[in-house]
Each structure stands twice: as C-alpha cells, then as structure tokens.
C-alpha cells in the first residue's frame, strides 16, 4: 500500500544512546518532515526537506540530525538521547508545497530512560 | 506571528448530536487550511482542506468546514456524530506563499457518549 512507513513503532533508549528513526515514502513526494507530538503541545516541526539533498531546521531541531539522500527516505537521528526526547515522532510527506496536505506515518513512540 | 488556536481541549457530545470544533488562525496571507483526525495510537489522517473557492468544504466521514476570512476561523462541523468519531482533531494552516511549513493547533479531543 502506498504511504509513509515508519520504523520502529516502539523504542526504549537509555540516556546517551543514539539511534535512527526510519521513514520511507513511495509516493514520489518532494516534501518530507519530522514532527514530535507531546501532550498539550500539538505537533512541533523538527526538521524538513524540500527534496533530495536539501534539509532545513524546524521549530525544535536541537538534538536531532537528518539527511535526505534519496526522494524516498528521510531518517531522523538522535545523537545522544535525553529524557526530554521522550515523545511520539511522526514522519509526513507532501506532493508539493501548500495545498495538498500531508500524508502521515503511523508514528514511533520513543521512551528515553 | 503565525499561529493556530483550538480553544477547546476536550469536547463531549452524545451520539447523534451535532458537532462543531473551533479553529482560529493568524497568518500573513490567505492560508491553506486543513483538518486532521488522529485515532488512538495512529497517525494523522487528512479530513479536509481549503485553499480557494467555495468557503464551505466537504471532507471524508461526513465532516465539513467553513472558512470565514473576517473571523480568521475554519471551524469543523458534523451534523450527527457517531461513536467512531471519538478521536483527536487537529487544525493546521500554512503552505501558502511558497512555504512548505505547516502550523498545527494543539488539538481537540472528542469524546462521544452512547
């Protein structure tokens, strides 16, 4: 089925560990982004990409890295996990700017202990 | 500053009753406007969107929304709520003026009483 695939669905990390959250889409969407969702705070943009080789920071980029080597993939790397990064992470993609809206993945629930 | 406000954190309605979820925005230009629904443990699903034309837009699952420029609002409505509509609803704005960035509201959690 076409869409946005995120792996893993659940992850527990120890403080200081690093990991990569995977995101892949098969819709040939130009635009991809990572959000984190925390209770009462809605969705906050971490990083986004407008095409292969182009990334930029969002609202809350600290502690996260991204790269976009292909149109399909947009991994999010946690460099040194902290308890404040406990959250649900969503990857989303869009065909083009503006009017189309996002297609979201099903999320990764990350707990940092 | 660009922002989205969903003033109701929680709303409870009885099954079969009508529903209106409020969304107000602040944006420099005429924005693209969206409503998303999130069921527990799931990602967000696009319900409907507005970017031009008729200010009353129809979406999936029997939802509709009306864009009111004078009130900077984009309220979501449904004439008769079903128990399966219990979820969290997010309003979002953005995407206009060549930007890919979307701003999401903090969400409204809907509870449906049988």
């Amino acid at each position: 089925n076409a869409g946005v695939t995120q792996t893993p669905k659940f992850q527990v990390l120890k403080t200081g560990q690093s990991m990569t959250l995977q995101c892949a889409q098969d819709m040939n969407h130009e635009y991809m982004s990572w959000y984190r969702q925390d209770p009462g705070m809605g969705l906050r943009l971490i990083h986004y990409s407008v095409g292969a080789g182009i990334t930029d920071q969002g609202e809350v980029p600290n502690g996260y890295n991204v790269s976009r080597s292909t149109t399909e993939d947009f991994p999010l790397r946690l460099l040194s996990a902290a308890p404040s990064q406990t959250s649900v992470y969503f990857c989303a993609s869009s065909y083009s700017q503006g009017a189309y809206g996002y297609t979201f993945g099903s999320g990764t629930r990350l707990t940092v202990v | 500053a660009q922002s989205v406000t969903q003033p109701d954190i929680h709303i409870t309605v009885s099954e079969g009753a009508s529903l209106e979820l409020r969304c107000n925005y602040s944006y420099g230009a005429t924005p693209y406007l969206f409503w998303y629904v999130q069921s527990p443990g799931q990602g967000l699903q696009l319900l409907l969107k507005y970017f031009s034309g008729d200010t009353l837009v129809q979406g999936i699952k029997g939802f509709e929304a009306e864009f009111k420029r004078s009130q900077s609002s984009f309220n979501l409505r449904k004439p008769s709520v079903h128990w399966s509509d219990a979820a969290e609803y997010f309003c979002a704005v953005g995407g206009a003026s060549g930007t890919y960035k979307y701003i999401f509201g903090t969400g409204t959690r809907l509870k449906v009483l049988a």
Side-chain angles (χ1 to χ4, degrees):
Chain A
N1 291 337
V4 178
T5 302
Q6 288 185 239
T7 56
K9 293 190 181 302
F10 302 94
Q11 184 69 50
V12 179
L13 288 179
K14 294 182 178 179
T15 298
Q17 287 185 316
S18 63
M19 80 160 294
T20 299
L21 280 61
Q22 301 292 344
C23 175
Q25 53 90 9
D26 58 3
M27 298 170 285
N28 202 32
H29 284 175
E30 298 173 351
Y31 182 60
M32 297 185 73
S33 61
W34 278 100
Y35 285 88
R36 61 177 289 174
Q37 183 179 31
D38 302 291
M41 304 190 74
L43 280 81
R44 293 183 291 171
L45 181 63
I46 304 171
H47 285 286
Y48 66 98
S49 169
V50 300
I54 306 170
T55 64
D56 204 350
Q57 296 181 351
E59 180 184 358
V60 288
N62 292 341
Y64 307 95
N65 273 356
V66 293
S67 60
R68 183 103 178 262
S69 57
T70 67
T71 300
E72 294 78 18
D73 300 302
F74 191 44
L76 177 72
R77 283 182 289 277
L78 279 70
L79 308 174
S80 178
S84 61
Q85 294 179 303
T86 294
S87 187
V88 180
Y89 292 85
F90 288 100
C91 179
S93 71
S94 176
Y95 175 68
S96 183
Q97 62 186 6
Y100 294 89
Y102 280 133
T103 299
F104 279 85
S106 58
T108 296
R109 184 173 294 275
L110 175 68
T111 302
V112 183
V113 298
Chain B
Q2 300 169 353
S3 65
V4 177
T5 302
Q6 293 181 248
D8 303 305
I9 299 174
H10 298 278
I11 283 185
T12 300
V13 300
S14 298
E15 191 171 19
S18 63
L19 172 70
E20 182 170 30
L21 303 181
R22 296 182 290 166
C23 174
N24 294 96
Y25 67 89
S26 174
Y27 201 76
T30 300
Y32 299 141
L33 296 156
F34 308 86
W35 274 100
Y36 291 85
V37 59
Q38 184 182 31
S39 298
Q42 301 297 314
L44 280 73
Q45 180 184 19
L46 182 65
L47 277 177
L48 48 77
K49 59 189 177 185
Y50 169 82
F51 55 91
S52 67
D54 193 347
T55 56
L56 183 64
V57 294
Q58 303 296 321
I60 62 172
K61 306 186 181 190
F63 285 91
E64 66 179 25
E66 186 172 13
F67 170 56
K68 292 185 177 180
R69 183 190 305 273
S70 62
Q71 299 177 20
S72 296
S73 69
F74 189 57
N75 293 349
L76 182 71
R77 300 195 294 249
K78 187 169 185 178
S80 177
V81 170
H82 188 263
W83 64 266
S84 61
D85 293 325
E88 191 157 19
Y89 292 80
F90 292 91
C91 180
V93 302
S97 303
T99 175
Y100 286 82
K101 293 185 180 180
Y102 296 78
I103 302 168
F104 284 82
T106 53
T108 298
R109 186 170 297 278
L110 174 65
K111 182 178 180 179
V112 180
L113 301 177

